[in-house]
Amino acid sequence: MTPSQDAQWRLRVGLLPAGDPQADALRALATRPRDHRIPAVAPVGPDTGRPGPVRDLVVEDGVLAHGPPGDGPARWYALPGFVDAHAHVSSSGDLVGLLTHGVTSYRQMWGEPAHRYAAGVHRARTAVVPRAWVSTAVVDGPTTRVPGGAMVVDDRHSADHVLNEALGFGFDGIKVYDDMEPAWFTAITAAADRVGLPVVGHAPERVPIAEAQAAMWSTEHLYGLVPNIFRLPGDRRWQVLSAALDRVEAEGAARVEGYAGRFVCPTLVTWRALTGERRWTRPSPTALALADAGRTQAWTAAARAAIGLDRAAAAERGALVDRLGDLVRAVADAGARVLVGTDCGNPFVVAGPSFHKELAELSRAGIPFAAVLQAATGAAHAAMRRGPAATTEADLVLYRRLPTTVADLARPDAVLVDGVLLDAGDLDELWSLRLTTAGLNAGVWPRGGLDPVPALPREKERSGAG
């Protein structure tokens, strides 16, 4: 194998490299049985949050079978597996983080060969990993602000190349970006529609929002309603967002009515983390240790910015994200199909816990519990274009008590992944491995906690001296 071929191979298996302890643990789980009979399970309707009739849950080779009625009260409550509808998974640690928090599928919104490989691993059952829906790398215009990572479309040949690559490498969708030019946006979306590929991503800044709403399968981060402020200098971002929210709020329902029936993935948890405010996200050394090597610099810079932010500025930025939450509720009220996505991989958005932080953000925004469940499960499976078989696949999240709030969802008591049963002990062990592999004590972040355990204050502060 030549050095070039060797590098390409490592890129393909990058999520599950040989010798990685977390990857080895996920491979070991693949030898477990995929046939089970779990007594007295009440399925929870993802559109209602209410339990259905109690039945025994029967799984045969990873497929749900019709079990007999249960005997007595429910011992388990089952929900469809959660879906992180906007993820940037980059390691075996991310895969472990998702599984241990009940996320059995994800939409990878900047795909690479490693993610197609992971999709093959799931299908081949050589490791237990979440099911991946994988978009292309970003497709953008010649003025792209991510020149190292974008496929630039500026003529017919480059537009054809995007379509050929998406189909040839088996990507599930095409991701467009901020600087896509209107004419080529129209060409790409029309060609993608012709071959049945969804177009997702950032509503391009120069494309009228009504056209983006009509042509795109899902839009991310509320872009189109508000701009991608993170492409602006740091000293301008929040003023621009404030002005944009003023305009949207002044226009009222007319601004959001075009989202009716469309998928929208707001990723409020990432908006919150990027403000630097610390009410709901703690940029702690514990979380920093979980950053992949290629992201440590960005996470460290974000932590320094948060620490240096004065309280008034933090409160002002946090209030803007609260207003974004109000906008999500308005979009939902207009008939949009809201999705739960995290944008994990961005600073202090940790795969797994961040999913439940997003549930909390949506709940604080006033989205009812049943609607949050639907956003995390049924709507997300539809966004992945999963057909009728999805209703029989044994991807489930199980609880001993009926969950009635988003806080009840954060620590599953068991997870079924393609028929492999992971009980609470398995999940705790995997999450501990995630922490110890990063050089952390397993007790610093209990599974189900939205943030790490706060560090103890210094002895001088505890004693009241000074």
Side-chain angles (χ1 to χ4, degrees):
M1 185 177 290
T2 68
S4 176
Q5 290 171 325
D6 184 52
Q8 290 174 352
W9 178 256
R10 287 198 307 274
L11 180 65
R12 288 198 295 273
V13 301
L15 300 182
L16 295 161
D20 178 278
Q22 295 173 96
D24 290 344
L26 296 174
R27 290 191 189 93
L29 292 173
T31 63
R32 290 192 175 186
R34 297 173 192 263
D35 300 288
H36 308 281
R37 186 187 183 105
I38 305 173
V41 178
V44 179
D47 53 344
T48 65
R50 294 192 294 270
V54 176
R55 307 191 71 89
D56 288 357
L57 179 65
V58 176
V59 180
E60 298 174 352
D61 192 30
V63 176
L64 297 176
H66 187 68
D71 182 16
R75 302 184 204 174
W76 293 95
Y77 297 90
L79 277 164
F82 298 136
V83 180
D84 189 332
H86 190 119
H88 295 284
V89 170
S90 63
S91 68
S92 59
D94 287 345
L95 298 173
V96 167
L98 294 177
L99 286 180
T100 53
H101 291 81
V103 180
T104 61
S105 301
Y106 64 98
R107 289 200 309 167
Q108 177 69 23
M109 297 296 281
W110 192 319
E112 297 176 1
H115 303 108
R116 294 306 313 152
Y117 184 93
V121 164
H122 182 281
R123 184 177 176 185
R125 294 180 166 178
T126 55
V128 172
V129 295
R131 183 187 304 272
W133 182 103
V134 186
S135 84
T136 62
V138 297
V139 179
D140 212 357
T143 60
T144 181
R145 284 162 278 186
V146 286
M151 294 189 286
V152 172
V153 173
D154 56 5
D155 58 23
R156 175 54 58 187
H157 173 75
S158 55
D160 289 345
H161 171 71
V162 167
L163 199 66
N164 294 340
E165 182 161 289
L167 293 170
F169 289 97
F171 287 103
D172 298 299
I174 294 172
K175 181 177 181 179
V176 297
Y177 223 52
D178 303 280
D179 295 311
M180 190 82 171
E181 294 182 350
W184 293 113
F185 173 81
T186 299
I188 287 289
T189 53
D193 184 65
R194 175 172 52 81
V195 298
L197 274 177
V199 174
V200 300
H202 297 191
E205 293 177 355
R206 290 191 289 278
V207 174
I209 184 59
E211 293 181 21
Q213 289 167 338
M216 295 177 67
W217 182 245
S218 73
T219 55
E220 318 297 313
H221 318 303
L222 301 175
Y223 293 161
L225 291 178
V226 296
N228 183 351
I229 62 170
F230 304 105
R231 302 296 176 209
L232 302 174
D235 60 352
R236 292 187 53 215
R237 292 174 179 171
W238 305 105
Q239 295 92 330
V240 169
L241 177 59
S242 179
L245 285 168
D246 288 343
R247 289 193 297 271
V248 172
E249 290 164 358
E251 294 174 12
R255 187 64 168 170
V256 299
E257 61 186 10
Y259 284 102
R262 300 289 175 176
F263 292 110
V264 179
C265 191
T267 67
L268 291 173
V269 65
T270 290
W271 278 103
R272 183 79 66 185
L274 291 173
T275 64
E277 68 122 320
R278 303 189 66 182
R279 266 187 308 168
W280 307 116
T281 295
R282 300 176 192 147
S284 66
T286 299
L288 181 59
L290 297 179
D292 293 338
R295 293 172 170 159
T296 301
Q297 184 176 0
W299 286 43
T300 301
R304 288 174 177 161
I307 292 169
L309 195 64
D310 66 69
R311 288 181 180 273
E316 182 179 340
R317 294 180 184 182
L320 291 174
V321 180
D322 295 341
R323 290 171 66 188
L324 285 169
D326 295 338
L327 183 54
V328 174
R329 183 170 181 179
V331 167
D333 289 345
R337 306 180 74 180
V338 175
L339 304 173
V340 178
T342 65
D343 215 4
C344 63
N346 275 285
F348 299 100
V349 185
V350 177
S354 62
F355 182 85
H356 295 280
K357 290 167 75 73
E358 181 70 5
L359 298 184
E361 290 280 1
L362 294 174
S363 181
R364 284 195 295 270
I367 307 295
F369 178 64
V372 173
L373 283 183
Q374 181 67 3
T377 58
H381 288 298
M384 294 173 73
R385 290 189 164 185
R386 304 211 24 214
T391 61
T392 63
E393 292 160 355
D395 286 352
L396 298 173
V397 190
L398 296 150
Y399 298 89
R400 287 291 191 179
R401 296 174 181 246
L402 175 66
T404 58
T405 70
V406 294
D408 297 334
L409 301 172
R411 184 180 167 85
D413 293 303
V415 176
L416 270 168
V417 185
D418 192 25
V420 174
L421 180 64
L422 307 177
D423 63 22
D426 296 323
L427 298 171
D428 288 341
E429 185 177 347
L430 278 172
W431 180 243
S432 295
L433 179 62
R434 170 78 172 108
L435 298 173
T436 56
T437 301
L440 297 167
N441 183 297
V444 301
W445 196 337
R447 183 175 65 87
L450 301 192
D451 283 294
V453 175
L456 290 173
R458 292 174 297 178
E459 186 62 37
K460 181 177 179 180
E461 295 170 342
R462 290 202 304 271
S463 66

